[in-house]
Amino acid sequence: MWDAVIIGGGLSGLVTGISAAERGKRVLIITKGASSLNYATGALDFGDVQRLANTPKHPYTLLSNALIQKSFTYFKRLFPEYTGKWGQATDVLTPFGEFRSASLAPRGFEASRLKSAGRVLVIAPAGLKDFFPSLIIANLQRSLPMAVVTGLPVKPERFAPWLTAGKSIQGVDYANFWDTAMGRQSLGQFFGRIEKEMKKEALSLAVVFPSLSARFCDTSTAAMQSSGSLPDCIQAEVSFPVVEMTAFPPTAAGRALATALVHKFKDLGGELLQGVEVTGADMQSGECRRILVQSKGKTIRISARHYVLASGGTFSGGIEVDNRGAAEKVFGLPLYVPDDWTRTEFLGEQPYAKVGVEVDKNLRPLRPNGQVAVNNVMVTGRMLAHWDPWLEKCGGGVSLASGYLAGGLI
Amino acid sequence: MKEYNAQVIVVGGGVTGTGILRDLSMRGISACLFERGDLAQGTSSRFHGLLHSGARYVVNDPESAVECSRENTILQQIAPECIVNTGGWFVQKEEDDPIFLEKWLSGCAQANIAVREIPAGEAKRREPLLSKQVLRVFEVSDAVVDGFKLIWANAKSAYQYGGRYYTYHNVNRLLIEGKRVVGVVGENVITGEKFVAHAEILVNATGAWAGELLKPAGASLQVICNKGALLAFNQRIFRRVINRLRQPGDGDIFVPHETITILGTTSNTVIDPADNSPSVAEVNRLLALGDEVVPNLARFRVIRAFAGVRPLYGGDQGNGGPEDGRGVSRNFALIDHEALGEVNGLLSVVGGKFTTYRLMAERAGDWVSRKLGNSVPSRTAIESLSTATVTLPESTVKLLPHPAAEKLIYRQGEQAGTILAEIKRDPQQAQLLCECEMVTMAEVKAVIADPDSHHLADVRRKTRLGMGTCQGAFCTYRAIPLLWEKGRSYKSLRGELKEFLDQRWKGIRPVLYGSQIRETELARAVYNCVLNLNAEEEE
């Protein structure tokens, strides 16, 4: 019997799994598809914790500030490649070359390093999709009036056939390439040339690079452990800062974080069942006895002491909405469904975003009358009710903190 | 202040206005058209895109039926590039009144509309998603029309004949001397520059907005604003147009367009012609009614709901007939304000249907010609709207996947050649900026370069960018840098991006379930978090 079965292999599910496995628990994660992290930038936002912790019903009101901060520190301990100070913003670049703040970001993203540069070079990899060098240069120039911002194309041989064929080159394609032996070599040479060229100038140089991080924090392989992560390894070889931009989905940095979390979990002895779907659960007197898993045409029944529902919200499919209503797919848990579903301003407040499961301080699902619906189920991440990650910019924070809390309760 | 002079001013850049501009220009009458937004921005782009065979109207409105039937034939001849000849079926179900069927058949015979019965078994084979409870099926010559394309084709053809159209030119008021209209004053809403235009005659083709323009000038017009909501499904449910064979009502027409299907419509009287927000109630009503034709219709993904406001002409019927507007004739009316003793030289064209726009334009042209003493007859029924059929060398077309090339040629006509040449020069320009509608980078660049393209929404209407499954989640941010390169300020583009997303959102809100909710989560993540677009609100 498992100590815990976690349904969902995204950020909150994996953090739950890692923190439980670290404490010697036997944990199984079941995940249907790719983590939503693949669509995320790789930088994590906690939002305005003070304000949100005082917003009625927000998940932060259930998690103490101390716990939220602990989850922040915990993540940094897991991934030293990430930078960020509690309560302080870290600057990163948007894909349009504007500065924005994040709470935790891969070191390579840290954009404040550009602020002291006299010369900023924006590297423009040939044919890179969703990359707009002239707009980026203009936006950077506006933010950095003291610097001279220019572009520098790079055109690796590897992609010559793609360019001729008119095939689009995604950021992940470039990131994959830079991480090969050939890619690292050509990157080394490229940076060497820049270094040499720029020595002639008196200005202090900084480089902006899109889609660079392939496996920046993959610590599972010995090779990576010895060489360090990719941006660190570049950084070690060159004397100027190399700042990676965040990107539109799908992103190399988001994928790298998803992969790194999985490796971390497995290294700690966690088991991962991928590509299968949890279709239901056997319930008895307010407890879950087992869950039903559809695997290659047959139904498996799995039992555990704890079940963690980290299946995501409407985006990941944990909550299904049709034109009659909304439903939680595994346990059929009661959902908070706002009456007024939408508002006029798309990017403003949207009630629909707050659909989810209401929980108590131990993350146990509640009925509308406030009673615990199932004793041995915990709910984490986007499945929780009463928050909007896109407006409140606390997606990383709620997922990390709730996952960390659930892991501790297993 | 900018000054324009012409014999005739046309106000309104929908299908009626551009049709009139073309009709007049072809008669050698100098005319200029002012539209406060982009062409095809109002009701003309907010309908099901059905080119009526006339069969829908044979029982209740035989005059309209005959007009539709004639115009359908004419338009198929003069504008084949804008029309897909899908054909249409009228399907009768068990619960549909058999007496109506008899009336309908004799009505079609009287209106000379060809009808062919399809055996029910065969019909179910050819349209497998059609309800199994269909008893009888009749084929008519319904077709599908691309409103955007037809309107632009009219405007461009008019231009060839000397007609001029000015988009984003808002007419503020009419200039009246004595009892005669002598021109208009207005403003270029993009530059803010004021303009004055002088003419002998003014044609009011503002549709649902007709009353607004006239009131200050002391002319009156009874237009009933009738809102019709529609649903756009993510797939082609039927090969052809499907009509319900019963008393025309709500939710009884399915119209296939390329890879989507439109289900329409509802009919509700509204006060404000700008009231084109579809409601959840209208969506649910359409789904329930559509379900009778396609069982379990809710399983199909709805990408958006939209609504248009029909300008029904109330005329002498007092307060405008029944509440729902279905009883008011869909026929058109020319209102001669001179004959009404109000304002001389002023004509309003209201009512009517998209299918009969050309006939309306011809009649308006006749009226104007009489006033001006011009004796040249209308030639819009015989002279093709289209330029020569575009045939491009196989090798050029092969630069794109087949469907993408076909769509490009369909959308851009002659200009497709230039766009393909650019792709040949730089194959990377073949990258799809909009994956849903298969719009390449090169095509968007070409459309942005067009002097008539000012806003993201203008690019959307000319390329279908943002009109597919993702409703702009990805293509919109890709178009922004291209508009910026044309010289637009980044700050104004950020504002416009929000406006554009709000516009798309208007149609998604009432259908926010299923996959559209996932799409919405992703889009809000991209624009709020990745691009930090709502940063200002934060402070």
Side-chain angles (χ1 to χ4, degrees), chain A residues 41 94-96 98 100 127 129-130 132 134-135 138-139 142 162-164 166-168 247-248 314-315 321-323 341-348 350 352-353 382 388-390 393, chain B residues 284 287 298 427-428 431-432 435 474 477-478 480-481 484-485 490 494 498 501-502 505 509 512-514 517-518 520-534 537-538:
Chain A
T41 58
T94 73
F96 279 173
E98 292 178 287
R100 77 161 172 100
K129 192 178 173 82
D130 286 347
F132 312 99
S134 49
L135 178 63
N139 278 338
R142 222 180 35 201
W162 297 39
L163 292 170
T164 327
K167 179 176 171 177
S168 67
F248 290 112
T314 50
F315 180 72
V321 182
D322 65 16
N323 63 333
W341 195 232
T342 60
R343 301 255 170 94
T344 327
E345 197 191 324
F346 182 63
L347 299 180
Q350 293 297 348
Y352 90 84
R382 191 68 182 109
D388 180 348
W390 323 126
K393 304 193 177 162
Chain B
N284 287 337
L287 284 174
Q428 280 296 303
Q431 280 195 37
L432 295 180
E435 279 104 350
F474 290 93
Y477 70 68
R478 291 174 187 150
I480 289 292
W484 173 79
E485 279 167 12
Y490 181 67
R494 272 180 72 119
K498 283 198 214 177
L501 292 170
D502 284 347
W505 179 234
R509 286 178 72 189
L512 190 68
Y513 59 84
I517 203 167
R518 302 191 62 210
T520 296
E521 281 281 281
L522 185 56
R524 289 182 78 236
V526 165
Y527 291 102
N528 266 353
C529 291
V530 179
L531 281 180
N532 201 29
L533 211 63
N534 61 346
E537 277 88 2
E538 234 181 14

Side-chain angles (χ1 to χ4, degrees), chain B residues 434 437 460 464-468 470-472 475-476 500 504:
Chain B
C434 161
E437 296 285 338
R460 168 175 76 81
R464 300 191 62 77
L465 188 82
M467 290 167 84
C470 87
Q471 288 289 297
C475 49
T476 313
F500 186 85
R504 299 280 85 199

Side-chain angles (χ1 to χ4, degrees), chain A residues 17 40 108 116 122 176 191 206 208 229 254 295 353 382 384 410:
Chain A
S116 52
V122 178
N176 287 347
F191 279 119
V208 172
S229 64
S295 170
R382 191 68 182 109
L384 294 168
I410 288 168

Side-chain angles (χ1 to χ4, degrees), chain B residues 103-164:
Chain B
K103 287 189 197 158
W104 184 79
L105 284 170
S106 70
C108 285
Q110 264 170 24
N112 215 3
I113 292 170
V115 173
R116 187 169 73 93
E117 179 153 17
I118 310 281
E122 188 191 328
K124 286 167 198 166
R125 228 174 19 254
R126 285 164 67 186
E127 295 290 6
L129 294 174
L130 193 62
S131 163
K132 300 288 173 267
Q133 289 160 18
V134 162
L135 293 181
R136 298 185 73 180
V137 175
F138 298 90
E139 190 169 57
V140 297
S141 60
D142 283 340
V144 168
V145 60
D146 183 327
F148 299 111
K149 257 188 102 169
L150 187 66
I151 287 166
W152 277 102
N154 268 294
K156 297 217 157 126
S157 166
Y159 192 90
Q160 298 291 321
Y161 285 100
R164 292 293 175 262

Side-chain angles (χ1 to χ4, degrees), chain A residues 10-26:
Chain A
L11 182 57
S12 83
L14 280 160
V15 168
T16 308
I18 290 167
S19 67
E22 260 190 344
R23 291 174 27 255
K25 305 291 178 185
R26 286 194 67 222

